[in-house]
Amino acid sequence: MKLNILGCYSATPRTFTNPTSQVLEINNHIFLIDCGEGTQVQLRKNKIKFSRIKHIFISHLHGDHFFGLVGLISTFRLLGRDTELHIYSPKGLKEVITLQMKLANSWTNYKLTFHELTNKESEIVFEDEKVEVRTIPLDHRIYTNGFLFKEKPGDRKLDMNAVLNENIDVSYYRKLKQGADVTNEAGEVVKNETVTKAPNKPKSYAFCSDTAYKEDIIPLIKNVDVLYHESTFLEKHAKLAAPTKHSTAKQAASIAKQANVGQLILGHYSTRYDDLNVFKTEAQTIFDNVVLGDDGKVFEF
Amino acid sequence: MKLNILGCYSATPRTFTNPTSQVLEINNHIFLIDCGEGTQVQLRKNKIKFSRIKHIFISHLHGDHFFGLVGLISTFRLLGRDTELHIYSPKGLKEVITLQMKLANSWTNYKLTFHELTNKESEIVFEDEKVEVRTIPLDHRIYTNGFLFKEKPGDRKLDMNAVLNENIDVSYYRKLKQGADVTNEAGEVVKNETVTKAPNKPKSYAFCSDTAYKEDIIPLIKNVDVLYHESTFLEKHAKLAAPTKHSTAKQAASIAKQANVGQLILGHYSTRYDDLNVFKTEAQTIFDNVVLGDDGKVFEF
């Protein structure tokens, strides 16, 4: 998995900072997560191939998370896209986008499919053989979902020396990878674990923005490799975090700790702060493996 | 008058180029003309004070001319704006903006007034004591207006030596400035032109984007000081200009020449061209005083 943060500041695009958008590479998918104004330029700057984006996940309909989407959809058309685009978002986005296309008398020449979400319980929104994406219901001023991206467990790996020693016919290899015991050419049962190795541990990434402190999400994101959790404020501004339904760095770290995640990435910083290192310091009083998200940063895990 | 071009490239925002947006300073007004994606960042980069923008003119509802507007309106709110904002645009924009505010459950805390245009004839859309703005109906794929910004003729200027020599009472000064003859203290009629001078020539600026070649606009923009006229294509791609209802550099120059404008600024270049100087060379075969518009360029006139 590779996570490329295109923008991770709250509220407005500014000269040197961008609103929320991320690109997650996972098993040959390029998933775009949120799409604030300027995302298409950030995609260019970060050298992401537009045509590889086939699924876009929008957390909620505050402008700093989706105002760049209609422009990106238009640009796809201008670039001659013909592959289908799927958009997963709260209900309402389809109306906004189609209204603007109607006014411009300009429709896409590729199939555009909206998957509008209204469920307040976690649900699977995308799934194929290798990957599953489910919502993480968050607590914000409007209906908001985070997203949990999980690799599915892969096949077991053949220990080729052992397999050949056991004289197992090649036609059984697939069963072996699936974990079954098989019979060798001598007619003896061969225990699976004696000729195969465990698959790589499936990786997982949880994106949680925007949200108030919400312990309900902990079971969903338990043990993920990487958690991006918003930290709009520092604890000294907790009084601003509560009514706006945002989190502090300390709260983000508390969620990370309770969920036993591998690493916590912070972001969605309020523009009132000049020194982001304080976010890291504050979070590390609770949870050690914290990194500061920033526009253009790439994480491989 | 001062014209600050924030963006003048067609179609999509890119790493180093921006879609259409301009700021015109005229008699203490800061008029924003069109508002492609990224305009609010360009305003910051060009150090335009957000609070001074009270009137926004949108030519048409293709995305590269208005996708930055909803974000700018949101940012005004976040910055605590309280002064009224007027938006002049084709019908439909109000629905787009209010739908997005409704979905975000986020309304402006300042008065937002939409002036939606449908008239296919030129009409005055803004007027005060010193300035008049009228539409320039253009010929594009959807309903589109250019805008003509004109200073009104100012008062005549008192020739104070002559006024004092003639012994004219101060209570007549205002009438003199308005061009009237007055009576001096000796009871004699004083001809206005003997004690006043002509006012400064009122300046005018015409913004024409996007449009096919349209001679009908010539009477409206006759003798303007500066004309911005789109030149999406070069003459060698005239076959692309016609169906998309855009102009070539040569056509823009032909309009400039027939309208006897002071200066022609080109813009709205298709991104297919690497060397913009060819636009200037082509236009100058028809009309001499041509400059290339470019993002960040400032013209004072």
Side-chain angles (χ1 to χ4, degrees), chain A residues 11-15 37-38 40-41 44-45 61-62 66-68 70-71 74-75 78 92 95-96 99-100 103-105 142, chain B residues 11-15 37-38 40-41 44-45 61-62 66-68 70-71 74-75 78 92 95-96 99-100 103-105 142:
Chain A
T12 68
R14 297 165 76 92
T15 306
E37 183 174 349
Q40 61 177 305
V41 174
R44 287 186 191 276
K45 286 185 182 167
L61 299 183
H62 279 155
F66 86 99
F67 280 167
V70 65
S74 304
T75 296
L78 291 167
E95 188 184 355
V96 171
L99 175 60
Q100 288 177 90
L103 289 169
N105 195 20
I142 55 175
Chain B
T12 68
R14 297 166 75 92
T15 307
E37 184 176 348
Q40 61 177 305
V41 174
R44 287 186 192 275
K45 286 185 182 167
L61 299 183
H62 279 155
F66 86 100
F67 280 168
V70 65
S74 304
T75 296
L78 291 167
E95 189 184 352
V96 171
L99 175 59
Q100 289 177 89
L103 288 169
N105 195 19
I142 55 173

Tab-separated table of all heavy atoms in Angstrom, chain A residues 11-15 37-38 40-41 44-45 61-62 66-68 70-71 74-75 78 92 95-96 99-100 103-105 142, chain B residues 11-15 37-38 40-41 44-45 61-62 66-68 70-71 74-75 78 92 95-96 99-100 103-105 142:
chain	number	residue	atom	x	y	z
A	11	ALA	N	-10.529	23.626	5.997
A	11	ALA	CA	-11.251	24.878	5.677
A	11	ALA	C	-11.055	25.433	4.262
A	11	ALA	O	-11.968	25.409	3.465
A	11	ALA	CB	-10.950	25.944	6.704
A	12	THR	N	-9.878	25.968	3.917
A	12	THR	CA	-9.752	26.646	2.623
A	12	THR	C	-8.422	26.307	1.962
A	12	THR	O	-7.435	26.071	2.647
A	12	THR	CB	-9.796	28.181	2.783
A	12	THR	OG1	-8.605	28.613	3.468
A	12	THR	CG2	-11.008	28.630	3.566
A	13	PRO	N	-8.416	26.318	0.623
A	13	PRO	CA	-7.117	26.208	-0.057
A	13	PRO	C	-6.338	27.507	0.132
A	13	PRO	O	-6.929	28.585	0.129
A	13	PRO	CB	-7.508	26.025	-1.533
A	13	PRO	CG	-8.887	26.557	-1.667
A	13	PRO	CD	-9.546	26.463	-0.319
A	14	ARG	N	-5.054	27.411	0.335
A	14	ARG	CA	-4.218	28.601	0.515
A	14	ARG	C	-3.000	28.467	-0.377
A	14	ARG	O	-2.840	27.484	-1.079
A	14	ARG	CB	-3.826	28.743	1.990
A	14	ARG	CG	-5.051	28.963	2.895
A	14	ARG	CD	-4.729	28.737	4.350
A	14	ARG	NE	-3.984	29.841	4.911
A	14	ARG	CZ	-4.526	30.885	5.528
A	14	ARG	NH1	-5.837	30.940	5.698
A	14	ARG	NH2	-3.778	31.849	6.000
A	15	THR	N	-2.142	29.496	-0.317
A	15	THR	CA	-1.016	29.525	-1.252
A	15	THR	C	-0.146	28.269	-1.145
A	15	THR	O	0.269	27.703	-2.151
A	15	THR	CB	-0.167	30.789	-1.014
A	15	THR	OG1	-1.049	31.920	-1.097
A	15	THR	CG2	0.908	30.923	-2.070
A	37	GLU	N	-10.937	21.615	-3.317
A	37	GLU	CA	-10.584	22.466	-4.456
A	37	GLU	C	-9.076	22.392	-4.716
A	37	GLU	O	-8.270	22.472	-3.801
A	37	GLU	CB	-10.993	23.921	-4.174
A	37	GLU	CG	-10.727	24.839	-5.360
A	37	GLU	CD	-11.245	26.267	-5.167
A	37	GLU	OE1	-11.988	26.521	-4.206
A	37	GLU	OE2	-10.896	27.127	-5.992
A	38	GLY	N	-8.715	22.228	-5.971
A	38	GLY	CA	-7.298	22.180	-6.347
A	38	GLY	C	-6.750	20.762	-6.427
A	38	GLY	O	-5.583	20.569	-6.762
A	40	GLN	N	-7.158	18.417	-8.591
A	40	GLN	CA	-6.636	18.003	-9.899
A	40	GLN	C	-5.231	18.548	-10.155
A	40	GLN	O	-4.410	17.889	-10.801
A	40	GLN	CB	-7.593	18.336	-11.034
A	40	GLN	CG	-7.927	19.779	-11.234
A	40	GLN	CD	-8.838	19.956	-12.466
A	40	GLN	OE1	-8.504	19.533	-13.570
A	40	GLN	NE2	-9.970	20.569	-12.272
A	41	VAL	N	-4.941	19.729	-9.619
A	41	VAL	CA	-3.580	20.264	-9.774
A	41	VAL	C	-2.616	19.487	-8.881
A	41	VAL	O	-1.484	19.170	-9.286
A	41	VAL	CB	-3.551	21.774	-9.453
A	41	VAL	CG1	-2.122	22.304	-9.464
A	41	VAL	CG2	-4.409	22.545	-10.465
A	44	ARG	N	-1.646	16.363	-10.556
A	44	ARG	CA	-0.582	16.600	-11.556
A	44	ARG	C	0.773	16.753	-10.883
A	44	ARG	O	1.762	16.144	-11.291
A	44	ARG	CB	-0.884	17.865	-12.359
A	44	ARG	CG	-2.032	17.714	-13.355
A	44	ARG	CD	-2.161	18.974	-14.222
A	44	ARG	NE	-3.382	18.989	-14.988
A	44	ARG	CZ	-3.546	18.381	-16.175
A	44	ARG	NH1	-2.540	17.723	-16.717
A	44	ARG	NH2	-4.687	18.443	-16.813
A	45	LYS	N	0.803	17.574	-9.824
A	45	LYS	CA	2.083	17.825	-9.149
A	45	LYS	C	2.659	16.536	-8.568
A	45	LYS	O	3.866	16.367	-8.485
A	45	LYS	CB	1.903	18.851	-8.029
A	45	LYS	CG	1.723	20.286	-8.535
A	45	LYS	CD	1.663	21.276	-7.372
A	45	LYS	CE	1.437	22.698	-7.893
A	45	LYS	NZ	1.071	23.625	-6.787
A	61	LEU	N	-20.011	16.285	2.696
A	61	LEU	CA	-20.233	17.356	1.719
A	61	LEU	C	-19.944	18.752	2.281
A	61	LEU	O	-20.652	19.716	1.970
A	61	LEU	CB	-21.644	17.246	1.135
A	61	LEU	CG	-21.891	15.918	0.381
A	61	LEU	CD1	-23.278	15.908	-0.245
A	61	LEU	CD2	-20.823	15.658	-0.678
A	62	HIS	N	-18.879	18.872	3.064
A	62	HIS	CA	-18.318	20.191	3.328
A	62	HIS	C	-17.325	20.485	2.195
A	62	HIS	O	-16.611	19.592	1.733
A	62	HIS	CB	-17.604	20.242	4.682
A	62	HIS	CG	-18.543	20.421	5.849
A	62	HIS	ND1	-18.248	20.011	7.123
A	62	HIS	CD2	-19.789	20.986	5.908
A	62	HIS	CE1	-19.274	20.311	7.934
A	62	HIS	NE2	-20.217	20.896	7.215
A	66	PHE	N	-14.865	18.318	-1.080
A	66	PHE	CA	-15.391	17.891	-2.401
A	66	PHE	C	-15.476	18.977	-3.468
A	66	PHE	O	-15.846	18.680	-4.606
A	66	PHE	CB	-16.763	17.208	-2.231
A	66	PHE	CG	-17.940	18.160	-2.206
A	66	PHE	CD1	-18.700	18.364	-3.349
A	66	PHE	CD2	-18.265	18.860	-1.066
A	66	PHE	CE1	-19.792	19.236	-3.332
A	66	PHE	CE2	-19.340	19.736	-1.042
A	66	PHE	CZ	-20.101	19.925	-2.175
A	67	PHE	N	-15.113	20.233	-3.168
A	67	PHE	CA	-15.279	21.290	-4.176
A	67	PHE	C	-14.384	21.084	-5.414
A	67	PHE	O	-14.596	21.701	-6.451
A	67	PHE	CB	-15.027	22.674	-3.584
A	67	PHE	CG	-16.193	23.239	-2.809
A	67	PHE	CD1	-16.011	24.352	-1.988
A	67	PHE	CD2	-17.457	22.690	-2.888
A	67	PHE	CE1	-17.079	24.898	-1.268
A	67	PHE	CE2	-18.530	23.220	-2.167
A	67	PHE	CZ	-18.331	24.329	-1.350
A	68	GLY	N	-13.395	20.227	-5.318
A	68	GLY	CA	-12.550	19.966	-6.494
A	68	GLY	C	-13.086	18.867	-7.399
A	68	GLY	O	-12.538	18.609	-8.473
A	70	VAL	N	-16.127	18.372	-9.087
A	70	VAL	CA	-16.801	18.669	-10.348
A	70	VAL	C	-15.769	19.053	-11.429
A	70	VAL	O	-15.903	18.660	-12.589
A	70	VAL	CB	-17.892	19.756	-10.154
A	70	VAL	CG1	-17.295	21.100	-9.751
A	70	VAL	CG2	-18.730	19.909	-11.410
A	71	GLY	N	-14.740	19.765	-11.029
A	71	GLY	CA	-13.687	20.125	-11.981
A	71	GLY	C	-12.909	18.910	-12.457
A	71	GLY	O	-12.569	18.787	-13.634
A	74	SER	N	-14.967	17.058	-14.966
A	74	SER	CA	-14.913	17.761	-16.257
A	74	SER	C	-13.590	17.518	-16.968
A	74	SER	O	-13.542	17.322	-18.181
A	74	SER	CB	-15.059	19.275	-16.054
A	74	SER	OG	-16.236	19.573	-15.372
A	75	THR	N	-12.527	17.560	-16.195
A	75	THR	CA	-11.203	17.367	-16.798
A	75	THR	C	-11.074	15.956	-17.360
A	75	THR	O	-10.504	15.762	-18.434
A	75	THR	CB	-10.101	17.676	-15.766
A	75	THR	OG1	-10.203	19.064	-15.428
A	75	THR	CG2	-8.712	17.388	-16.308
A	78	LEU	N	-12.518	16.097	-20.701
A	78	LEU	CA	-11.665	16.815	-21.657
A	78	LEU	C	-10.455	15.974	-22.062
A	78	LEU	O	-9.913	16.121	-23.154
A	78	LEU	CB	-11.207	18.155	-21.066
A	78	LEU	CG	-12.322	19.190	-20.906
A	78	LEU	CD1	-11.866	20.357	-20.029
A	78	LEU	CD2	-12.789	19.711	-22.269
A	92	GLY	N	-26.714	13.439	-2.244
A	92	GLY	CA	-26.763	14.868	-2.564
A	92	GLY	C	-25.731	15.233	-3.616
A	92	GLY	O	-25.922	16.152	-4.418
A	95	GLU	N	-26.791	15.143	-7.363
A	95	GLU	CA	-27.602	16.287	-7.773
A	95	GLU	C	-26.708	17.499	-8.062
A	95	GLU	O	-26.886	18.197	-9.066
A	95	GLU	CB	-28.622	16.610	-6.670
A	95	GLU	CG	-29.642	17.653	-7.083
A	95	GLU	CD	-30.596	18.027	-5.941
A	95	GLU	OE1	-30.518	17.404	-4.864
A	95	GLU	OE2	-31.388	18.961	-6.140
A	96	VAL	N	-25.729	17.739	-7.203
A	96	VAL	CA	-24.813	18.883	-7.386
A	96	VAL	C	-24.042	18.748	-8.702
A	96	VAL	O	-23.928	19.703	-9.477
A	96	VAL	CB	-23.787	18.961	-6.228
A	96	VAL	CG1	-22.708	19.999	-6.531
A	96	VAL	CG2	-24.470	19.291	-4.926
A	99	LEU	N	-26.393	18.825	-11.896
A	99	LEU	CA	-26.918	20.182	-12.122
A	99	LEU	C	-25.863	21.037	-12.845
A	99	LEU	O	-26.170	21.757	-13.805
A	99	LEU	CB	-27.297	20.831	-10.778
A	99	LEU	CG	-27.737	22.287	-10.832
A	99	LEU	CD1	-28.971	22.467	-11.709
A	99	LEU	CD2	-28.033	22.810	-9.411
A	100	GLN	N	-24.627	20.926	-12.416
A	100	GLN	CA	-23.574	21.736	-13.039
A	100	GLN	C	-23.285	21.278	-14.471
A	100	GLN	O	-23.014	22.086	-15.349
A	100	GLN	CB	-22.318	21.739	-12.162
A	100	GLN	CG	-22.545	22.567	-10.911
A	100	GLN	CD	-21.379	22.565	-9.951
A	100	GLN	OE1	-20.495	23.399	-10.021
A	100	GLN	NE2	-21.358	21.621	-9.035
A	103	LEU	N	-26.155	22.694	-16.607
A	103	LEU	CA	-26.017	24.129	-16.887
A	103	LEU	C	-24.949	24.388	-17.942
A	103	LEU	O	-25.044	25.330	-18.728
A	103	LEU	CB	-25.669	24.896	-15.602
A	103	LEU	CG	-26.805	25.013	-14.586
A	103	LEU	CD1	-26.274	25.544	-13.265
A	103	LEU	CD2	-27.913	25.919	-15.123
A	104	ALA	N	-23.915	23.577	-17.933
A	104	ALA	CA	-22.829	23.738	-18.906
A	104	ALA	C	-23.160	23.045	-20.220
A	104	ALA	O	-22.391	23.112	-21.175
A	104	ALA	CB	-21.536	23.168	-18.339
A	105	ASN	N	-24.313	22.374	-20.258
A	105	ASN	CA	-24.691	21.588	-21.429
A	105	ASN	C	-23.545	20.656	-21.833
A	105	ASN	O	-23.146	20.571	-22.994
A	105	ASN	CB	-25.076	22.513	-22.591
A	105	ASN	CG	-25.812	21.763	-23.688
A	105	ASN	OD1	-26.351	20.689	-23.452
A	105	ASN	ND2	-25.813	22.323	-24.881
A	142	ILE	N	-22.387	17.252	9.775
A	142	ILE	CA	-23.286	16.652	8.796
A	142	ILE	C	-22.887	15.181	8.631
A	142	ILE	O	-21.839	14.764	9.116
A	142	ILE	CB	-23.233	17.382	7.423
A	142	ILE	CG1	-21.798	17.448	6.896
A	142	ILE	CG2	-23.823	18.792	7.534
A	142	ILE	CD1	-21.701	18.041	5.489
B	11	ALA	N	-10.061	25.754	-20.280
B	11	ALA	CA	-10.366	24.349	-19.996
B	11	ALA	C	-10.095	23.871	-18.562
B	11	ALA	O	-11.022	23.577	-17.827
B	11	ALA	CB	-9.673	23.439	-20.995
B	12	THR	N	-8.832	23.725	-18.144
B	12	THR	CA	-8.573	23.107	-16.841
B	12	THR	C	-7.458	23.829	-16.100
B	12	THR	O	-6.555	24.378	-16.729
B	12	THR	CB	-8.120	21.632	-16.992
B	12	THR	OG1	-6.819	21.620	-17.610
B	12	THR	CG2	-9.075	20.830	-17.835
B	13	PRO	N	-7.532	23.825	-14.770
B	13	PRO	CA	-6.377	24.329	-14.009
B	13	PRO	C	-5.223	23.352	-14.141
B	13	PRO	O	-5.437	22.136	-14.152
B	13	PRO	CB	-6.901	24.378	-12.573
B	13	PRO	CG	-8.039	23.425	-12.515
B	13	PRO	CD	-8.603	23.311	-13.903
B	14	ARG	N	-4.014	23.871	-14.281
B	14	ARG	CA	-2.841	23.001	-14.390
B	14	ARG	C	-1.776	23.493	-13.426
B	14	ARG	O	-1.978	24.468	-12.705
B	14	ARG	CB	-2.339	23.002	-15.837
B	14	ARG	CG	-3.382	22.415	-16.801
B	14	ARG	CD	-3.037	22.731	-18.249
B	14	ARG	NE	-1.952	21.935	-18.754
B	14	ARG	CZ	-2.104	20.768	-19.387
B	14	ARG	NH1	-3.319	20.276	-19.589
B	14	ARG	NH2	-1.063	20.101	-19.821
B	15	THR	N	-0.644	22.793	-13.417
B	15	THR	CA	0.370	23.119	-12.415
B	15	THR	C	0.800	24.576	-12.480
B	15	THR	O	0.955	25.239	-11.461
B	15	THR	CB	1.591	22.191	-12.573
B	15	THR	OG1	1.117	20.842	-12.551
B	15	THR	CG2	2.576	22.391	-11.438
B	37	GLU	N	-11.654	27.440	-11.036
B	37	GLU	CA	-11.112	26.735	-9.862
B	37	GLU	C	-9.722	27.278	-9.516
B	37	GLU	O	-8.883	27.458	-10.390
B	37	GLU	CB	-11.023	25.222	-10.149
B	37	GLU	CG	-10.554	24.428	-8.932
B	37	GLU	CD	-10.561	22.913	-9.158
B	37	GLU	OE1	-11.142	22.448	-10.160
B	37	GLU	OE2	-9.982	22.199	-8.322
B	38	GLY	N	-9.511	27.536	-8.243
B	38	GLY	CA	-8.215	28.034	-7.796
B	38	GLY	C	-8.146	29.549	-7.687
B	38	GLY	O	-7.120	30.096	-7.269
B	40	GLN	N	-9.410	31.602	-5.573
B	40	GLN	CA	-9.126	32.156	-4.238
B	40	GLN	C	-7.639	32.077	-3.892
B	40	GLN	O	-7.114	32.958	-3.207
B	40	GLN	CB	-9.996	31.534	-3.160
B	40	GLN	CG	-9.867	30.052	-2.966
B	40	GLN	CD	-10.744	29.588	-1.794
B	40	GLN	OE1	-10.641	30.087	-0.682
B	40	GLN	NE2	-11.609	28.633	-2.052
B	41	VAL	N	-6.958	31.066	-4.393
B	41	VAL	CA	-5.516	30.987	-4.149
B	41	VAL	C	-4.799	32.046	-4.988
B	41	VAL	O	-3.859	32.709	-4.528
B	41	VAL	CB	-4.982	29.573	-4.458
B	41	VAL	CG1	-3.469	29.532	-4.349
B	41	VAL	CG2	-5.604	28.553	-3.514
B	44	ARG	N	-4.972	35.303	-3.303
B	44	ARG	CA	-3.962	35.409	-2.241
B	44	ARG	C	-2.585	35.694	-2.833
B	44	ARG	O	-1.854	36.567	-2.366
B	44	ARG	CB	-3.887	34.103	-1.434
B	44	ARG	CG	-5.081	33.886	-0.514
B	44	ARG	CD	-4.851	32.640	0.362
B	44	ARG	NE	-6.045	32.223	1.041
B	44	ARG	CZ	-6.468	32.717	2.226
B	44	ARG	NH1	-5.755	33.643	2.835
B	44	ARG	NH2	-7.579	32.287	2.779
B	45	LYS	N	-2.230	34.938	-3.874
B	45	LYS	CA	-0.897	35.116	-4.462
B	45	LYS	C	-0.723	36.524	-5.022
B	45	LYS	O	0.375	37.062	-5.041
B	45	LYS	CB	-0.670	34.090	-5.582
B	45	LYS	CG	-0.420	32.673	-5.067
B	45	LYS	CD	-0.087	31.728	-6.220
B	45	LYS	CE	0.117	30.300	-5.719
B	45	LYS	NZ	0.149	29.313	-6.799
B	61	LEU	N	-21.574	29.655	-17.625
B	61	LEU	CA	-21.493	28.556	-16.654
B	61	LEU	C	-20.741	27.336	-17.185
B	61	LEU	O	-21.136	26.192	-16.919
B	61	LEU	CB	-22.905	28.204	-16.156
B	61	LEU	CG	-23.605	29.372	-15.432
B	61	LEU	CD1	-24.965	28.949	-14.890
B	61	LEU	CD2	-22.749	29.946	-14.307
B	62	HIS	N	-19.650	27.566	-17.908
B	62	HIS	CA	-18.675	26.498	-18.121
B	62	HIS	C	-17.714	26.525	-16.928
B	62	HIS	O	-17.342	27.595	-16.443
B	62	HIS	CB	-17.905	26.698	-19.437
B	62	HIS	CG	-18.675	26.230	-20.650
B	62	HIS	ND1	-18.462	26.732	-21.910
B	62	HIS	CD2	-19.655	25.280	-20.774
B	62	HIS	CE1	-19.285	26.119	-22.765
B	62	HIS	NE2	-20.016	25.242	-22.104
B	66	PHE	N	-16.282	29.339	-13.521
B	66	PHE	CA	-16.990	29.551	-12.238
B	66	PHE	C	-16.793	28.472	-11.175
B	66	PHE	O	-17.293	28.627	-10.072
B	66	PHE	CB	-18.504	29.763	-12.493
B	66	PHE	CG	-19.306	28.489	-12.589
B	66	PHE	CD1	-20.043	28.029	-11.496
B	66	PHE	CD2	-19.328	27.758	-13.754
B	66	PHE	CE1	-20.783	26.849	-11.572
B	66	PHE	CE2	-20.060	26.583	-13.847
B	66	PHE	CZ	-20.792	26.132	-12.755
B	67	PHE	N	-16.041	27.423	-11.441
B	67	PHE	CA	-15.920	26.357	-10.437
B	67	PHE	C	-15.214	26.821	-9.156
B	67	PHE	O	-15.282	26.149	-8.128
B	67	PHE	CB	-15.196	25.133	-11.002
B	67	PHE	CG	-16.068	24.224	-11.841
B	67	PHE	CD1	-15.492	23.222	-12.619
B	67	PHE	CD2	-17.437	24.340	-11.858
B	67	PHE	CE1	-16.272	22.372	-13.393
B	67	PHE	CE2	-18.238	23.504	-12.626
B	67	PHE	CZ	-17.645	22.510	-13.397
B	68	GLY	N	-14.532	27.950	-9.199
B	68	GLY	CA	-13.886	28.466	-7.980
B	68	GLY	C	-14.802	29.325	-7.125
B	68	GLY	O	-14.429	29.734	-6.021
B	70	VAL	N	-17.922	28.795	-5.616
B	70	VAL	CA	-18.548	28.284	-4.393
B	70	VAL	C	-17.529	28.240	-3.255
B	70	VAL	O	-17.858	28.552	-2.095
B	70	VAL	CB	-19.229	26.911	-4.643
B	70	VAL	CG1	-18.215	25.840	-5.002
B	70	VAL	CG2	-20.042	26.484	-3.432
B	71	GLY	N	-16.300	27.908	-3.579
B	71	GLY	CA	-15.240	27.896	-2.564
B	71	GLY	C	-14.928	29.291	-2.060
B	71	GLY	O	-14.706	29.495	-0.860
B	74	SER	N	-17.612	30.354	0.307
B	74	SER	CA	-17.420	29.692	1.608
B	74	SER	C	-16.291	30.330	2.399
B	74	SER	O	-16.391	30.524	3.617
B	74	SER	CB	-17.069	28.211	1.418
B	74	SER	OG	-18.036	27.562	0.662
B	75	THR	N	-15.211	30.647	1.691
B	75	THR	CA	-14.060	31.241	2.372
B	75	THR	C	-14.415	32.618	2.929
B	75	THR	O	-14.005	32.972	4.037
B	75	THR	CB	-12.865	31.315	1.405
B	75	THR	OG1	-12.489	29.978	1.069
B	75	THR	CG2	-11.674	32.019	2.039
B	78	LEU	N	-15.936	31.978	6.177
B	78	LEU	CA	-14.966	31.570	7.194
B	78	LEU	C	-14.107	32.744	7.660
B	78	LEU	O	-13.624	32.766	8.782
B	78	LEU	CB	-14.065	30.447	6.646
B	78	LEU	CG	-14.777	29.115	6.417
B	78	LEU	CD1	-13.934	28.178	5.587
B	78	LEU	CD2	-15.126	28.460	7.754
B	92	GLY	N	-29.121	30.162	-13.127
B	92	GLY	CA	-28.733	28.796	-12.789
B	92	GLY	C	-27.696	28.762	-11.683
B	92	GLY	O	-27.644	27.819	-10.896
B	95	GLU	N	-28.948	28.465	-8.019
B	95	GLU	CA	-29.379	27.112	-7.633
B	95	GLU	C	-28.162	26.244	-7.272
B	95	GLU	O	-28.178	25.512	-6.278
B	95	GLU	CB	-30.168	26.488	-8.794
B	95	GLU	CG	-30.853	25.180	-8.431
B	95	GLU	CD	-31.552	24.533	-9.628
B	95	GLU	OE1	-31.636	25.167	-10.710
B	95	GLU	OE2	-31.990	23.373	-9.480
B	96	VAL	N	-27.111	26.350	-8.088
B	96	VAL	CA	-25.897	25.556	-7.832
B	96	VAL	C	-25.288	25.911	-6.477
B	96	VAL	O	-24.925	25.029	-5.684
B	96	VAL	CB	-24.823	25.823	-8.919
B	96	VAL	CG1	-23.500	25.187	-8.527
B	96	VAL	CG2	-25.289	25.295	-10.264
B	99	LEU	N	-27.679	25.053	-3.442
B	99	LEU	CA	-27.751	23.604	-3.226
B	99	LEU	C	-26.530	23.125	-2.427
B	99	LEU	O	-26.654	22.323	-1.490
B	99	LEU	CB	-27.822	22.883	-4.578
B	99	LEU	CG	-27.784	21.349	-4.540
B	99	LEU	CD1	-28.943	20.791	-3.727
B	99	LEU	CD2	-27.814	20.769	-5.954
B	100	GLN	N	-25.365	23.626	-2.790
B	100	GLN	CA	-24.148	23.190	-2.099
B	100	GLN	C	-24.113	23.709	-0.664
B	100	GLN	O	-23.657	23.016	0.248
B	100	GLN	CB	-22.901	23.602	-2.886
B	100	GLN	CG	-22.790	22.754	-4.145
B	100	GLN	CD	-21.625	23.143	-5.040
B	100	GLN	OE1	-20.524	22.643	-4.897
B	100	GLN	NE2	-21.858	24.045	-5.968
B	103	LEU	N	-26.500	21.429	1.322
B	103	LEU	CA	-25.928	20.110	1.626
B	103	LEU	C	-24.903	20.199	2.746
B	103	LEU	O	-24.745	19.271	3.540
B	103	LEU	CB	-25.282	19.514	0.372
B	103	LEU	CG	-26.262	19.033	-0.701
B	103	LEU	CD1	-25.513	18.727	-1.986
B	103	LEU	CD2	-27.025	17.804	-0.224
B	104	ALA	N	-24.187	21.315	2.796
B	104	ALA	CA	-23.162	21.488	3.834
B	104	ALA	C	-23.772	22.016	5.123
B	104	ALA	O	-23.067	22.188	6.110
B	104	ALA	CB	-22.078	22.438	3.333
B	105	ASN	N	-25.085	22.290	5.083
B	105	ASN	CA	-25.769	22.904	6.223
B	105	ASN	C	-25.003	24.144	6.687
B	105	ASN	O	-24.743	24.354	7.866
B	105	ASN	CB	-25.897	21.884	7.369
B	105	ASN	CG	-26.903	22.349	8.409
B	105	ASN	OD1	-27.734	23.210	8.126
B	105	ASN	ND2	-26.816	21.798	9.602
B	142	ILE	N	-23.077	28.052	-24.841
B	142	ILE	CA	-24.189	28.314	-23.914
B	142	ILE	C	-24.287	29.831	-23.736
B	142	ILE	O	-23.397	30.576	-24.167
B	142	ILE	CB	-23.991	27.619	-22.540
B	142	ILE	CG1	-22.638	28.009	-21.916
B	142	ILE	CG2	-24.093	26.110	-22.670
B	142	ILE	CD1	-22.455	27.490	-20.495
